[in-house]
Amino acid sequence: MNTTRQGAAVSARGIGVEGPRGWAFQGIDITAEPGALIAVQGSSGSGRTCLLLALTGRMRITAGEATVAGLPLPKRMGTVRSRTAIAHVPGVVELEPALTVGEHLKEQALLGHRFQGLGASLPWGRRQKEATRARIDAALAAVRLDPATLVKGLRTAVRDLERIEALRLSVALGIMHGPQLLAVDDVDLKLSAEERAEAWQLLRDLAQAGTTIVAAGSEAPADALVVRTTPAPAASAETETAPAPAAETDAPPADAPADDSGTAGSTHPHTDETDETDEEEAAHAFAETGRA
């Protein structure tokens, strides 16, 4: 597994997302080189999660213009989705408490084989199993999650993980198939000061290895590129009285085809222009399908 390929440059000018309940966010400018650590800050309800989804092609921007890895949004949303991943986004892509660490990792690895057209070769031979094991081991090493430190190793249920361990697992699933950009929500939610430092160091290391990181949290490290979301300005009485946007991950049911992005860690490239057109017909899909 290669999790250190060239990251995605991000450029945005005045981007925003407006929905039935008003603006989720607006007026955001970003200029970031590949491998940057971008920290998104803002009060609850200011659109932090929506910004993460927009930059990964999972929510259509309705104002401004942006490119991710040189691909324009919203025109190339499908391709951007295939080259990015999201992790730790409540209500959109999250861990299943009843499943074990090993089950999550194996599921994500299997999905990667499906996207690469290897599903027809099942049951796998020794070579495929070794490749899967290597992919899982590399992802765990990249996030510094040692199964030996867990109460039951890979058989530990998600419900029994510490919050920092669950975050590391979520990120491992996100990077497993080598995205150019990884978006992580609520990085430091309910973590101690020491754990917050650990979480940001984890993301900093991934960025330094080459993957562009966009992460929402309450306290950004000093070396991060900080992007702040704010509520829409009260330009009119209608705007002033508009109800606040729903919780940032409270999206309508996705109508995108399930094989477009699969799960948070999917990075299956789309090169067929006909497929790309079909994907753009589903541009209003606000959430992933499947499980992280």
Side-chain angles (χ1 to χ4, degrees), residues 3 18 120 201 217 282:
T3 61
E18 184 180 22
Q201 186 60 51

Side-chain angles (χ1 to χ4, degrees), residues 3 10 19 26 48 73 134 146 159 163 169 178 210 221 226 228 240 250-251 277 282 291:
T3 61
V10 179
Q26 64 179 146
R48 294 180 309 180
L73 290 172
D146 183 357
R159 65 167 63 94
R163 293 190 67 85
L169 176 58
V226 178
R228 292 182 172 84
E240 292 173 356
D250 183 15
T277 301
R291 190 170 55 239

Side-chain angles (χ1 to χ4, degrees), residues 17 25 49-61 73:
V17 169
F25 68 86
T49 303
C50 292
L51 178 57
L52 299 187
L53 296 178
L55 291 177
T56 56
R58 290 156 174 85
M59 182 174 286
R60 174 179 286 272
I61 62 173
L73 290 172

Side-chain angles (χ1 to χ4, degrees), residues 45-123:
S46 66
R48 294 180 309 180
T49 303
C50 292
L51 178 57
L52 299 187
L53 296 178
L55 291 177
T56 56
R58 290 156 174 85
M59 182 174 286
R60 174 179 286 272
I61 62 173
T62 57
E65 55 185 24
T67 61
V68 174
L71 300 165
L73 290 172
K75 184 177 180 181
R76 300 293 299 279
M77 287 178 66
T79 305
V80 170
R81 280 197 296 274
S82 74
R83 298 186 184 183
T84 62
I86 58 176
H88 205 246
V89 183
V92 180
V93 55
E94 53 191 343
L95 302 175
E96 172 56 53
L99 293 183
T100 68
V101 172
E103 288 168 338
H104 275 94
L105 291 166
K106 184 176 181 180
E107 178 186 59
Q108 191 74 343
L110 288 171
L111 287 169
H113 283 285
R114 178 172 67 83
F115 294 136
Q116 295 164 20
L118 301 179
S121 66
L122 295 176

Side-chain angles (χ1 to χ4, degrees), residues 15-216:
I15 63 171
V17 169
E18 184 180 22
R21 300 184 183 184
W23 288 97
F25 68 86
Q26 64 179 146
I28 299 297
D29 298 328
I30 305 172
T31 301
E33 297 297 321
L37 173 60
I38 305 169
V40 179
Q41 289 187 295
S43 59
S44 178
S46 66
R48 294 180 309 180
T49 303
C50 292
L51 178 57
L52 299 187
L53 296 178
L55 291 177
T56 56
R58 290 156 174 85
M59 182 174 286
R60 174 179 286 272
I61 62 173
T62 57
E65 55 185 24
T67 61
V68 174
L71 300 165
L73 290 172
K75 184 177 180 181
R76 300 293 299 279
M77 287 178 66
T79 305
V80 170
R81 280 197 296 274
S82 74
R83 298 186 184 183
T84 62
I86 58 176
H88 205 246
V89 183
V92 180
V93 55
E94 53 191 343
L95 302 175
E96 172 56 53
L99 293 183
T100 68
V101 172
E103 288 168 338
H104 275 94
L105 291 166
K106 184 176 181 180
E107 178 186 59
Q108 191 74 343
L110 288 171
L111 287 169
H113 283 285
R114 178 172 67 83
F115 294 136
Q116 295 164 20
L118 301 179
S121 66
L122 295 176
W124 297 342
R126 179 178 177 181
R127 186 170 300 177
Q128 289 90 344
K129 291 179 180 179
E130 289 177 349
T132 297
R133 181 70 259 173
R135 183 179 295 274
I136 291 174
D137 289 345
L140 290 174
V143 302
R144 298 190 297 279
L145 181 61
D146 183 357
T149 65
L150 305 179
V151 292
K152 295 182 180 179
L154 291 176
R155 295 192 298 275
T156 304
V158 165
R159 65 167 63 94
D160 296 325
L161 295 176
E162 300 292 338
R163 293 190 67 85
I164 187 65
E165 293 171 339
L167 174 64
R168 291 184 186 277
L169 176 58
S170 295
V171 174
L173 298 175
I175 66 171
M176 188 174 290
H177 303 295
Q180 290 180 269
L181 181 149
L182 175 69
V184 186
D185 200 12
D186 288 338
V187 170
D188 47 18
L189 181 65
K190 297 184 179 179
L191 296 181
S192 67
E194 181 179 354
E195 290 171 335
R196 286 198 297 271
E198 287 183 32
W200 282 111
Q201 186 60 51
L202 163 64
L203 300 182
R204 182 183 294 108
D205 291 345
L206 293 175
Q208 291 175 348
T211 304
T212 301
I213 302 294
V214 185

